[in-house]
Amino acid sequence: MKRNRALTSLSGRQLQRLLHQLCERAQEDVTRLAQHEETATHQLRVRMKKLLALLRLAREGIAEHTMQAFRQHIRAVKNACACNRDRVVQDKLIDKLTRRFHLAPKHRPQLDGKPQAAPSASYLRHQLHALGLLIDSTCIESLSADQILEEHARCQRKGRRLMKQACESTNHETLHRWRHRVKDLYFQTLALPHLPSARRRIQRAQRLGHLLGRDQDLANLAHEPAFALRRSPWVQVIEEHRDSLRQRYLTLGHKLYASHRARV
């Protein structure tokens, strides 16, 4: 059994190499920021999410204080890129809802604030260099395939528990945490493509993460003062759209986790 599992998983050395490759690709994203800010920012944030997801696979080879340092550097990169990225996402969402629900221009409030300058490339490079040094300071390369698979199964169990909580409540924090675990499952399964039903799980996790992300974008928009006025048609539009999304992401969530049989 252990032999078969090893054939369908990553070795610690392969996982460490993947983590370094992500840091290298992120450095390339930083180089592109000046000319392609929106695309490069998006790619950089995605790589940070993937990096954290794969680091969770390596938890057994990372000391707790080192894991905390990883989170701080990853958060620093994501936060540096967040402001303009969030504004772009909100602008696109407002355009889409305006067209879909035939809202007149007079009903479109303006978001507060102005676009900010692109994050400092030197600051981002420093954070990414620190991440590379941290990867080398761990014992990730000594991890076995079984240890990595166990962390993957643990991620799935956490996601399933959060899905059950989401079925019973519309709590924003629960949905936010569930989305992170779905993203982890997606990125981890991409690195474990030979596991049973991996392709189906990748497709469902990607779609589910997208639906939960749309719900979060709507929730964030609902908290904007300009969109929360009592007589504004936006209040009803956002609520109706979130209700429709809820039916879809819960249905897909049950399919995603029902297709899994833990191998631990």
Side-chain angles (χ1 to χ4, degrees):
M1 181 65 177
K2 287 186 177 180
R3 182 181 179 185
N4 290 337
R5 291 172 71 178
L7 290 173
T8 60
S9 186
L10 284 170
S11 68
R13 183 170 297 179
Q14 290 171 323
L15 179 55
Q16 187 178 53
R17 186 161 57 246
L18 279 177
L19 293 168
H20 274 303
Q21 287 173 352
L22 281 170
C23 287
E24 292 168 4
R25 297 293 183 273
Q27 291 282 10
E28 295 171 3
D29 294 330
V30 173
T31 302
R32 291 196 298 269
L33 274 174
Q35 293 183 323
H36 307 283
E37 181 182 348
E38 183 179 338
T39 302
T41 298
H42 173 69
Q43 288 295 334
L44 186 55
R45 285 169 58 83
V46 169
R47 291 194 211 283
M48 291 302 99
K49 294 174 184 178
K50 186 171 185 177
L51 186 67
L52 186 55
L54 296 187
L55 284 168
R56 291 193 169 105
L57 286 179
R59 193 183 298 272
E60 285 295 312
I62 304 175
E64 182 54 40
H65 68 277
T66 304
M67 193 68 179
Q68 184 60 33
F70 272 121
R71 293 192 189 98
Q72 289 174 353
H73 288 297
I74 290 171
R75 189 180 302 117
V77 174
K78 289 173 62 180
N79 288 346
C81 300
C83 294
N84 285 346
R85 175 65 186 165
D86 291 345
R87 188 179 185 89
V88 168
V89 169
Q90 284 191 329
D91 283 340
K92 289 182 177 179
L93 177 59
I94 293 167
D95 288 340
K96 181 177 180 179
L97 293 176
T98 299
R99 292 192 302 268
R100 178 170 179 176
F101 293 97
H102 308 291
L103 294 171
K106 67 178 182 179
H107 291 141
R108 175 170 178 152
Q110 296 298 314
L111 292 167
D112 295 331
K114 298 180 180 179
Q116 299 184 6
S120 165
S122 60
Y123 173 79
L124 294 173
R125 288 195 180 96
H126 169 75
Q127 299 297 332
L128 294 170
H129 179 69
L131 284 170
L133 294 177
L134 281 174
I135 292 169
D136 286 332
S137 73
T138 67
C139 300
I140 293 174
E141 65 179 0
S142 66
L143 292 174
S144 69
D146 280 355
Q147 287 175 304
I148 293 171
L149 278 178
E150 169 57 30
E151 293 301 327
H152 180 57
R154 182 176 286 117
C155 171
Q156 292 174 312
R157 292 194 295 268
K158 287 181 179 179
R160 189 184 293 106
R161 285 196 297 268
L162 286 167
M163 181 194 68
K164 291 178 179 178
Q165 293 176 26
C167 288
E168 300 170 357
S169 168
T170 57
N171 179 269
H172 178 69
E173 180 60 27
T174 298
L175 290 173
H176 183 66
R177 290 169 58 208
W178 182 27
R179 179 176 177 241
H180 282 305
R181 299 293 77 78
V182 171
K183 287 288 187 180
D184 283 347
L185 180 59
Y186 170 63
F187 290 128
Q188 290 175 6
T189 311
L190 282 176
L192 297 162
H194 301 301
L195 288 178
S197 303
R199 180 178 297 181
R200 182 184 303 168
R201 195 173 304 140
I202 288 169
Q203 292 172 343
R204 287 176 173 172
Q206 183 180 35
R207 180 59 180 162
L208 179 56
H210 177 67
L211 292 175
L212 290 170
R214 286 171 59 184
D215 180 79
Q216 182 174 325
D217 292 339
L218 287 164
N220 291 339
L221 191 63
H223 284 94
E224 290 286 343
F227 289 82
L229 298 175
R230 184 172 299 178
R231 295 184 180 180
S232 170
W234 284 92
V235 175
Q236 183 177 354
V237 163
I238 292 172
E239 287 180 355
E240 289 181 358
H241 202 36
R242 291 193 70 191
D243 286 343
S244 173
L245 281 173
R246 179 172 173 78
Q247 297 176 12
R248 294 167 63 189
Y249 65 63
L250 289 179
T251 298
L252 185 55
H254 280 94
K255 290 180 180 179
L256 173 65
Y257 292 104
S259 67
H260 165 65
R261 294 294 179 269
R263 290 169 171 81
V264 295

